[in-house]
Amino acid sequence: MDMKTRIAALAAECMKSLWPDAEGLPAAEELRGLLAVPPDPALGDYAFPCFRLARPLRTAPPKIAEALCAAWNHAEVASVRPVNGYMNFFLNRENFAAETMAVLLSQGERFGSSDLGKGKTVCLDYSSINIAKRFHIGHLSTTMIGHSLKRIFDFLGYTTVGINHLGDWGTQFGKMVCAYKKWGSREDVESRGIDAMTELYVRFHEEAEKDPTLEDEGRAWFKKIEDNDPEAMEIFSWFKEVTLRDAAKVYEKLGVTFDSYAGESFYNDKMEPVIQELRDKGLLVQSEGAWVVDLEEDNMPPCLILKSDGATIYATRDLAAAIYRQNTYHFDKCLYVVAYQQDLHFRQVFRVLEKMGYPWAKDCVHVAFGMVSFEGEALSTRKGNVVLLDDLLDQAVAKAREIIEEKSPNLENKDEVARQVGIGAVVYTDLSANRIKDIDFRWERALNFDGESAPYVQYTHARCCSVLRKAGDLVNAAPDWSALTDDEAQALLRLLSRFPDVIREAADKYEPSMITRAVTDIAQAFNKYYYEHRILDGEPAQAAARVALTEATRAVIKTGLYLIGIEAPERM
Ligand code: ARG
């Protein structure tokens, strides 16, 4: 049991014994949620606001706080003091250290995991790249936030389904196939991949300016794709394959995986029933030749379902996808990790699902995020200004390699560590602020070994490992927890003990950055401890306690980094 839960249980008991007949007193669980952490540590480790009891007891909060404090008889756990209507708890430092360490050591790298999500499923739609488009820095957030959330939900016991909802549908693919047939070569597309496809597409538009009949040809090829014509499908599937081969390189570097690549084209044959259902439910109305769902009463523009030529669109596919996912995975949550620019699209889609009578529409969540710029320059797809993810990652590794060469010339596996640090630096930056905030990626910050960065946290992890290697037999000695009652150890223990709450909150708010923050705070607190105390010196039982604290820190940092998709080298 963690300390907060313990205090909550004891406080609930204390209330019950004081006022056995009162109704509406909070039970331990609610009480735990009410326990606040005072901003000033001089006011204690936790504070219970007695205002919550004012109504059920019909008494003023300061009086309640006094009565509770007088009745409290668990000094071995915490001493208490009434302050302005709060019951303030001051943990017994040695007891706190002993209890916290017992949990930390027994759970190790699983500390913070739970079975909260047992039997529940979360679908996560992330990365969701477009065919024949390059994978650039603008795709980093959807990929990494989604990947991290998947790990977080897994860690909390949920079943997760990672979906790369490929953008593999649209008239542009007809044009691309058409251009390929006219001017393309297999070798060129094989060797230059997306660059070659992009050039074909650009050429199509240039030539179509001179010869408008090309547009018809492009449309005809798209029709062939729609009708599953073997030749058209062969070329198009191969474009897809080339794109995914390219993306796979990036996914491998980032350690990102998916359970499904069912993208837009997957829903080709699954939209007809949805359209019929919309019609049957009287939701489909005609507007300027197109078929839409009217959302005026929701203060939104209509959701376009069928264009005037009968073609389906992005939203139609998302409706079919949501229904398919519910029928297939029976999700309890379906998360869409997509840039905030698509906010209206998702509000429309979710609202239409609601209007169709699906109660689970409320379980669909758009997990929006801000934009990424690079060294102060906004991203633009215009030539010269796109930062390709693959290049960025390679550069990060190369830069990390140089720094490591300089800092640790004797390190054995420099290449491997440079890979972990370089990739980690990029990922950390992406997950370092609230997701809705725009991010400016800067090398100096990302690779600053002394700042708030992946290398800093990773270095702290390696430092723990180094201490543990030197500790030898102390790892097995019986610890004297009274060695962990100093301010620095207590501050570190407090952060470690809150880690499970951080994970849950990160899941609740779909906010991996909370974990980034927590591991950074823990790393800083450990370094402070490390500079103020000589871990391996002195009494063996006392040293053993400090070594145990080091081991617990190592495990939590490793887990935290894992949850945000970053590796933890043991030597740096
Ligand atoms: N491919 C889309 C884009 O790049 C993102 C797809 C997001 N997922 C979805 N189910 N709509 O904008």
Side-chain angles (χ1 to χ4, degrees), residues 125 128 130 165 314 318 336 338 342 346:
D125 179 323
S128 301
N130 298 322
H165 184 79
Y314 188 49
D318 259 329
Y336 296 79
V338 185
Q342 296 196 28
F346 286 110

Side-chain angles (χ1 to χ4, degrees), residues 125-131 133 139 142 163-168 264 314 317-318 321 325 336-339 342 345-346:
D125 179 323
Y126 59 105
S127 204
S128 301
I129 52 169
N130 298 322
I131 298 308
K133 288 255 177 70
H139 299 116
T142 169
I163 304 169
N164 197 330
H165 184 79
L166 298 177
D168 56 0
E264 293 191 43
Y314 188 49
R317 286 163 199 278
D318 259 329
R325 289 172 190 174
Y336 296 79
V337 187
V338 185
Q342 296 196 28
H345 164 75
F346 286 110

Side-chain angles (χ1 to χ4, degrees), residues 22-76:
E23 272 174 39
L25 296 182
E29 178 128 341
E30 187 200 340
L31 218 152
R32 187 180 189 279
L34 291 168
L35 281 182
V37 176
D40 177 2
L43 288 172
D45 298 286
Y46 294 108
F48 173 70
C50 298
F51 310 95
R52 166 65 179 78
L53 306 183
R55 194 186 290 256
L57 296 176
R58 275 188 245 123
T59 311
K63 279 236 158 5
I64 300 173
E66 270 163 39
L68 279 168
C69 289
W72 180 258
N73 56 3
H74 302 286
E76 79 291 355

Side-chain angles (χ1 to χ4, degrees), residues 517-569:
R517 182 73 259 157
V519 287
T520 308
D521 290 345
I522 288 167
Q524 285 170 345
F526 179 78
N527 287 322
K528 192 146 186 239
Y529 181 72
Y530 180 83
Y531 288 118
E532 302 274 337
H533 302 273
R534 306 189 62 84
I535 296 178
L536 301 174
D537 292 357
E539 270 290 301
Q542 302 232 321
R546 293 189 292 263
V547 167
L549 179 59
T550 306
E551 163 56 18
T553 306
R554 180 204 67 74
V556 170
I557 292 182
K558 182 164 184 200
T559 299
L561 287 176
Y562 170 81
L563 292 176
I564 51 174
I566 296 178
E567 291 179 50

Side-chain angles (χ1 to χ4, degrees), residues 10 112 212 348 435 543:
L10 292 174
Q348 288 178 311
R435 59 183 156 78

